Amino acid sequence: MSSTVADMVHNGEWAWPNTWVNRFPALENLPNVVLNSEAQDRIVWRSREGADMEYSTYVVWDDIRQMQDQAPWARIVWFPQAIPRHAFLMWFLVCKKLKTQDMMSRWGLNYNLMCCSLCMSGPDSHEHIFFKCSFASQIWNGVRDKADMGSIEENWEDIFDYLLQHAESNRANHIIGKLVVGATAYFVWQERNNRLFSTKKRNAANLIEVILTTIRMKLHTMKFKRTSRVNQVLLEWKLPRALLMVKMNAANKLQV
């Protein structure tokens, strides 16, 4: 581990240990090098375009990974004001990768298990839990007005379409909408798991209060542009006017 490049070169030719060559035959095909005795060894990454740059794990990962265009829903999930654990679950939800029982049934599990643990009547599926389930719909109906989404029904496709339309917006009500949907999905999924794997239960009113309290605490960490519409947001969420800022100068400040 303490060897330098110079230790591996004799008379201008590579002198790899036999054990290395046996394990990595490609070493024999490396072109010989001309060393500058006055230069110090350093690690350089040569990109796929042939450019030499300072080595870092970020540079390597960014160079070898498969590049794709950003998904149109990316800003629904990942945005500066997002609550990380909620964003992580939203990522699974948007991609429909949550392990609901309709998905697990494909692994050969008993079909009799496929019952929603929240309402005990519908299927345990993405479409049902978010938020067609009678229990989950109570929660959505209890928080959607706070997100200025009172007209959006308890249907994931409608909710997703609304968020997608405003994914790039920095308006306060649109940021709050994303926070409310993320928190609602997170706590509904958490309650689903609690009921499925334990005897713990919370009623809809408890969960609504938990969701609104969580969002209110998050809003306390933000700064808002001083407008009449923001004043209404502060009043609606019972937030102090100290959160108002005259000048926008931070990534997580909201505008209307």
Side-chain angles (χ1 to χ4, degrees):
M1 293 299 295
S2 60
S3 298
T4 64
V5 174
D7 295 330
M8 294 293 116
V9 177
H10 293 164
N11 299 322
E13 297 182 355
W14 290 110
W16 303 110
N18 291 332
T19 54
W20 288 25
V21 174
N22 291 337
R23 188 172 182 184
F24 307 107
L27 291 174
E28 291 188 307
N29 300 323
L30 290 179
N32 292 326
V33 295
V34 178
L35 300 181
N36 181 355
S37 60
E38 297 181 358
Q40 186 174 356
D41 289 349
R42 64 190 181 96
I43 300 176
V44 178
W45 176 260
R46 179 165 293 169
S47 71
R48 65 179 73 182
E49 288 81 20
D52 292 345
M53 57 189 70
E54 290 294 328
Y55 174 87
S56 71
T57 53
Y58 170 79
V59 166
V60 174
W61 166 245
D62 196 50
D63 196 38
I64 66 175
R65 71 188 178 98
Q66 183 179 358
M67 302 290 289
Q68 295 182 351
D69 294 335
Q70 179 173 290
W73 46 261
R75 294 281 291 177
I76 293 175
V77 176
W78 315 112
F79 55 100
Q81 302 84 4
I83 299 173
R85 66 180 65 184
H86 298 179
F88 189 71
L89 184 126
M90 278 289 288
W91 180 33
F92 278 89
L93 175 55
V94 169
C95 296
K96 295 189 176 181
K97 296 296 184 181
L98 290 172
K99 296 301 182 285
T100 48
Q101 293 186 49
D102 63 327
M103 292 185 62
M104 293 190 292
S105 66
R106 303 168 192 171
W107 305 346
L109 296 181
N110 192 334
Y111 183 82
N112 292 330
L113 292 176
M114 293 180 60
C115 178
C116 174
S117 62
L118 298 173
C119 66
M120 302 305 294
S121 59
D124 188 70
S125 66
H126 281 78
E127 290 74 16
H128 175 77
I129 295 175
F130 308 106
F131 298 98
K132 292 182 179 179
C133 163
S134 58
F135 181 85
S137 66
Q138 290 181 60
I139 298 170
W140 173 244
N141 291 332
V143 301
R144 63 181 180 178
D145 286 338
K146 286 283 192 177
D148 200 20
M149 296 174 66
S151 62
I152 310 300
E153 297 297 329
E154 55 272 14
N155 179 294
W156 174 247
E157 295 301 327
D158 291 345
I159 295 171
F160 179 75
D161 287 344
Y162 173 86
L163 295 179
L164 198 59
Q165 292 174 28
H166 307 291
E168 301 295 332
S169 173
N170 283 327
R171 291 177 58 173
N173 59 322
H174 295 151
I175 296 295
I176 292 173
K178 291 190 283 189
L179 288 171
V180 168
V181 173
T184 305
Y186 177 85
F187 286 108
V188 165
W189 182 252
Q190 184 185 72
E191 184 65 18
R192 174 261 189 194
N193 290 339
N194 285 342
R195 296 189 179 200
L196 195 61
F197 301 111
S198 72
T199 58
K200 296 179 180 179
K201 287 186 178 182
R202 290 175 290 186
N203 59 39
N206 291 149
L207 284 176
I208 290 171
E209 183 57 32
V210 168
I211 292 167
L212 297 181
T213 299
T214 300
I215 301 302
R216 189 176 296 111
M217 291 175 62
K218 180 63 182 179
L219 295 178
H220 270 278
T221 70
M222 300 179 187
K223 296 296 182 181
F224 298 81
K225 186 177 179 181
R226 189 184 298 270
T227 69
S228 58
R229 296 189 65 180
V230 163
N231 288 334
Q232 186 177 355
V233 169
L234 297 184
L235 183 64
E236 178 73 18
W237 286 91
K238 300 179 181 178
L239 299 172
R241 293 183 60 81
L243 298 179
L244 289 173
M245 293 290 288
V246 175
K247 188 176 180 180
M248 302 285 289
N249 57 10
N252 71 333
K253 291 179 183 178
L254 308 183
Q255 64 183 8
V256 174

